[in-house]
Amino acid sequence: FDQVMQERFLPSGRVRWLPMSEVGTDADGVNHVSSLTSGTRKRVRVRKKVVNATHAQTAVPSTHKPKYTLGPGVNCVPLNRLPDISRPHAAYTVVGSGKTGMDAILWLLENGVAPARIRWVMPRDAWLWNRANFQPGLENFERSVGSNLGQLDAIAEAASLPDLFARLEATEQLLRIDPAVQPSTFRCAVVSQAELAQLRRIDDVVRLGHLRRIETTRIVLDQGTVPADPDTLYIDCSACAIVMPPALPVFEAGRINLFMVRTCAPLFSAALIAYVESHVTDPAEKNALCTVVPSPERPIDWLRMWAVTLANTARWRQHAGLQAWLMQCRLNAIAVFVRGVKPDDTARLALLKQMGAKAGAAGARLPALLASAKA
């Protein structure tokens, strides 16, 4: 990021960078920027629109205060402090079941900590994306494109929400850490099969709700207490990485809100929003092309995200300029998957042709599946 800023944006003369600053709005509606170091306050004249990217903010352990309390003598560090370990600990406890918690488990295992010395406090089990289904290159074409087709088939053929997730798991579209525990969340986390095998080496998994207090000899959770070794290093991975956004459209008067317009694809979404802003003039059409995809929290959100993604994709196909841009965009996964496919490669072109028909079938089935989940 620093390289792009220093070597591209700033030399262009089109960007002014104000680090260590906060943006605010005066009572008269004028925007200002205040330095967090010098206190200098500058008013900013908006020529066209303000792009609000704060909806895409994330919470990370290094800047997040844990919601649980720490008793005297408890050693608790955020994930990024793990490389600072100066001595072995009798036990290690990872707090948090999200992707950060998984990364902490994998780091400990890779650095020689025996699985028996690791405890994992897992408030909720999650459905996980299978990393093998998102690989670029023609050698991965059949699997990557086939994964999209497989997900559409699962939606179209599922009799119920439980049946949908059973189909997704059976075809390795979605994975879970413990096959005996039904996941209660989905947060777009991605793991490989090799990583999953490592995570499953941890036997001491505490599923008693959220952590409330850590004491030197025990941990207190929503649904009970568990004894703890006094020489335990606790690794806090409890920050909620994905922040739930407000219910706003992408395009407002004088403002552009950066939200997701495709499932779990924030960078692609920002690029598409920029294209629409620069090529479409009608505000209603802009927001129709950029209907906001909900941020994920529960398993049903996997389906809700697909519903909006399919509707957006159908609208994009009706816009010739946008469709041409999509096939050239390096952030567009489908464009990356098909790059290098030759005009005479009938087998691969046939797979791509199936996409439209399967999307139609999935879109037709989606309302009934969503309704059944609410019943």
Side-chain angles (χ1 to χ4, degrees):
F1 291 111
D2 183 67
Q3 182 180 1
V4 171
M5 179 64 71
Q6 300 292 346
E7 298 181 13
R8 181 172 181 178
F9 288 167
L10 294 180
S12 74
R14 299 172 61 192
V15 173
R16 185 179 180 190
W17 186 34
L18 300 174
M20 296 300 297
S21 302
E22 282 186 336
V23 177
T25 304
D26 296 332
D28 57 1
V30 176
N31 295 278
H32 66 263
V33 177
S34 299
S35 171
L36 295 175
T37 53
S38 68
T40 303
R41 181 185 175 107
K42 298 179 179 178
R43 305 188 87 184
V44 178
R45 181 168 63 89
V46 178
R47 290 190 177 91
K48 292 185 178 180
K49 294 181 180 179
V50 171
V51 179
N52 186 353
T54 62
H55 303 308
Q57 66 183 330
T58 59
V60 296
S62 61
T63 59
H64 155 86
K65 185 178 180 179
K67 294 182 179 179
Y68 49 87
T69 59
L70 303 175
V74 172
N75 190 3
C76 182
V77 299
L79 175 68
N80 62 311
R81 292 286 306 278
L82 276 178
D84 298 333
I85 292 176
S86 58
R87 67 170 182 85
H89 292 265
Y92 298 84
T93 293
V94 174
V95 181
S97 55
K99 188 61 172 70
T100 307
M102 297 176 207
D103 290 341
I105 296 288
L106 295 171
W107 189 93
L108 291 170
L109 293 172
E110 289 171 1
N111 284 275
V113 179
R117 294 166 62 191
I118 301 174
R119 168 179 284 169
W120 194 355
V121 176
M122 187 180 294
R124 300 180 298 175
D125 282 67
W127 285 112
L128 310 169
W129 287 117
N130 184 352
R131 193 184 302 278
N133 296 330
F134 298 92
Q135 301 307 308
L138 285 180
E139 67 276 13
N140 299 303
F141 179 92
E142 283 73 16
R143 174 133 195 184
S144 297
V145 173
S147 172
N148 280 271
L149 297 177
Q151 292 176 67
L152 294 172
D153 280 339
I155 295 171
E157 298 167 7
S160 63
L161 201 62
D163 182 41
L164 169 66
F165 284 98
R167 290 172 182 269
L168 293 169
E169 184 176 26
T171 55
E172 297 185 343
Q173 308 302 325
L174 293 179
L175 308 170
R176 54 175 153 171
I177 293 172
D178 189 337
V181 179
Q182 185 66 27
S184 60
T185 187
F186 169 71
R187 303 282 281 172
C188 293
V190 182
V191 298
S192 68
Q193 291 281 12
E195 289 170 332
L196 186 64
Q198 290 296 308
L199 294 172
R200 287 174 172 168
R201 296 175 65 196
I202 307 304
D203 294 325
D204 187 1
V205 180
V206 179
R207 293 183 172 91
L208 293 175
H210 288 91
L211 185 59
R212 295 305 176 191
R213 179 174 172 81
I214 303 177
E215 300 173 0
T216 54
T217 59
R218 68 171 188 163
I219 58 175
V220 181
L221 303 104
D222 288 334
Q223 301 163 25
T225 61
V226 178
D229 191 301
D231 186 29
T232 296
L233 177 65
Y234 293 89
I235 301 101
D236 177 52
C237 302
S238 63
C240 182
I242 300 177
V243 179
M244 293 296 107
L248 296 171
V250 168
F251 296 97
E252 295 184 292
R255 184 177 293 266
I256 301 173
N257 299 305
L258 293 189
F259 295 121
M260 285 191 292
V261 297
R262 176 185 280 174
T263 297
C264 301
L267 296 182
F268 165 81
S269 297
L272 187 135
I273 290 168
Y275 177 91
V276 171
E277 164 65 12
S278 58
H279 291 81
V280 180
T281 55
D282 180 61
E285 184 182 3
K286 285 182 176 183
N287 276 320
L289 290 169
C290 297
T291 301
V292 178
V293 171
S295 293
E297 176 64 32
R298 299 173 297 156
I300 193 175
D301 292 333
W302 182 94
L303 193 61
R304 293 174 61 231
M305 295 174 84
W306 256 114
V308 181
T309 293
L310 286 174
N312 277 344
T313 302
R315 286 186 283 267
W316 298 343
R317 290 197 188 101
Q318 303 305 311
H319 193 290
L322 177 53
Q323 190 62 24
W325 174 84
L326 283 168
M327 296 315 297
Q328 298 297 319
C329 176
R330 64 184 179 85
L331 296 174
N332 181 17
I334 295 298
V336 174
F337 293 155
V338 304
R339 193 166 295 154
V341 175
K342 297 180 180 179
D344 59 352
D345 195 336
T346 55
R348 285 172 172 158
L349 292 174
L351 278 178
L352 292 173
K353 192 174 181 180
Q354 294 179 38
M355 196 83 72
K358 290 183 182 290
R365 178 65 182 138
L366 265 164
L369 275 178
L370 288 170
S372 69
K374 297 175 182 178

